[in-house]
Amino acid sequence: MVTDRYSEIDEVIAFIHENIYEPLPLARLAQFAGYSSFHFTRIFKERIGLSPLYYASSHRLQKAKHLLLHTNLSIRDVGLEIGQQSLGTFTSRFTERVGVTPSEFRSSALQVESQMRSLRELNDWRKLEIPSTKYDRIEGTVHAEIPFEGVILLGLFAKPIPEGLPLYGTLLSSLGHFCLTGIKPGTYYLMATSVSWEMQAKDVLLPQNTLRTRSKEPITVTSCLSVPHQQVMLYTPRPDDPPILISLPLLMNNFLKRGIP
């Protein structure tokens, strides 16, 4: 839901985007907003769901993804561009939050066309669903602000940002009902995005304009209470959305492998 609460955070977000290649310590961001560091961190997290430094680091990794696809810079130089002096640190952080190494990400554009073709040719998506009678389930209905033809990638994440492999996830062939099963008790954030059949490979790898949703409020799963039916609305990107860091081709490939003996 769009909100005007703490609207001054919008100016901070624009400032982060404009200065993403510069050092952005907490004190600098708080000073720009006109708050103490403590108060600024509190209201930023309340508005966005993430701390300001984590939000900024997420966009730096998104810039790294862009540089890997659109330049011939070495992986070390890409890391230096976003302020990572250590190649090892950059590679490990990138891998943890994107799901593949920088070199794998750079070469994965070649896989996207094949994966999209395989998904489009699937006749029975239900056979790739993982049956489970253990633990709980989360069911819901996916809607969209505007129509599209393609696939929906939906998952439960540990943080209110789509990064790293989802703890539970699936792909959907259309809007409508979804069901995630075998969910262990815990706290999760539901994220989803869409990939239309017409998208180019680099747009799948850098999904900046895809329909999406993210829950800032967690979904709590317990062993004694059922989870309410989730109404999921895919919307056009908003300025305060964190980037979709997880590699979508990785998720598509993992889904397709379920049907491989």
Side-chain angles (χ1 to χ4, degrees):
M1 177 182 294
V2 177
T3 177
D4 291 330
R5 192 174 191 191
Y6 305 133
S7 58
E8 61 269 37
I9 297 300
D10 294 330
E11 297 180 13
V12 178
I13 289 171
F15 180 79
I16 289 173
H17 285 282
E18 291 167 3
N19 299 277
I20 197 65
Y21 293 115
E22 299 179 16
L24 292 172
L26 179 60
R28 183 182 181 190
L29 296 176
Q31 183 181 32
F32 180 84
Y35 293 114
S36 69
S37 295
F38 176 82
H39 185 59
F40 170 67
T41 298
R42 183 183 65 79
I43 65 173
F44 190 98
K45 191 168 184 179
E46 184 175 339
R47 164 73 189 274
I48 305 301
L50 301 165
S51 73
L53 294 185
Y54 202 91
Y55 181 86
S57 72
S58 300
H59 279 285
R60 282 202 174 96
L61 283 177
Q62 183 76 343
K63 288 294 184 183
K65 291 168 65 176
H66 179 87
L67 292 171
L68 286 168
L69 292 182
H70 294 282
T71 74
N72 292 320
L73 290 173
S74 69
I75 292 173
R76 178 183 293 276
D77 287 342
V78 168
L80 289 172
E81 283 289 320
I82 66 164
Q84 291 290 337
Q85 301 300 317
S86 166
L87 174 61
T89 300
F90 169 61
T91 300
S92 61
R93 289 181 179 175
F94 187 98
T95 305
E96 178 185 5
R97 300 178 69 179
V98 179
V100 294
T101 67
S103 59
E104 289 171 336
F105 179 82
R106 176 169 260 171
S107 63
S108 58
L110 301 175
Q111 307 170 15
V112 174
E113 185 176 341
S114 173
Q115 291 169 340
M116 295 293 286
R117 183 169 57 252
S118 296
L119 288 170
R120 197 164 192 173
E121 291 173 355
L122 277 179
N123 293 319
D124 187 3
W125 286 58
R126 291 174 300 177
K127 71 180 182 180
L128 298 187
E129 294 178 356
I130 300 177
S132 175
T133 58
K134 192 177 182 181
Y135 301 116
D136 212 332
R137 63 177 56 205
I138 294 179
E139 295 188 70
T141 306
V142 182
H143 312 272
E145 286 184 344
I146 56 177
F148 77 97
E149 292 187 3
V151 298
I152 299 163
L153 300 93
L154 182 144
L156 300 179
F157 293 82
K159 298 175 183 176
I161 176 174
E163 65 173 25
L165 283 172
L167 301 172
Y168 304 91
T170 190
L171 269 66
L172 307 173
S173 59
S174 64
L175 299 170
H177 178 261
F178 73 88
C179 181
L180 298 173
T181 61
I183 312 297
K184 294 181 180 180
T187 300
Y188 307 97
Y189 294 88
L190 191 150
M191 312 279 163
T193 193
S194 64
V195 173
S196 65
W197 297 127
E198 295 77 19
M199 286 179 66
Q200 300 296 312
K202 288 187 177 180
D203 294 323
V204 176
L205 289 164
L206 289 171
Q208 297 172 315
N209 300 310
T210 58
L211 296 173
R212 76 239 358 241
T213 195
R214 73 180 185 106
S215 60
K216 295 179 186 177
E217 297 300 322
I219 298 172
T220 301
V221 176
T222 66
S223 57
C224 56
L225 293 175
S226 61
V227 178
H229 190 91
Q230 302 293 305
Q231 295 293 342
V232 178
M233 176 62 72
L234 298 176
Y235 56 79
T236 53
R238 298 168 182 166
D240 63 354
D241 282 330
I244 298 172
L245 289 180
I246 179 63
S247 167
L248 299 188
L250 174 64
L251 299 183
M252 293 190 289
N253 187 57
N254 288 350
F255 181 79
L256 288 167
K257 279 185 176 179
R258 294 178 187 177
I260 299 176

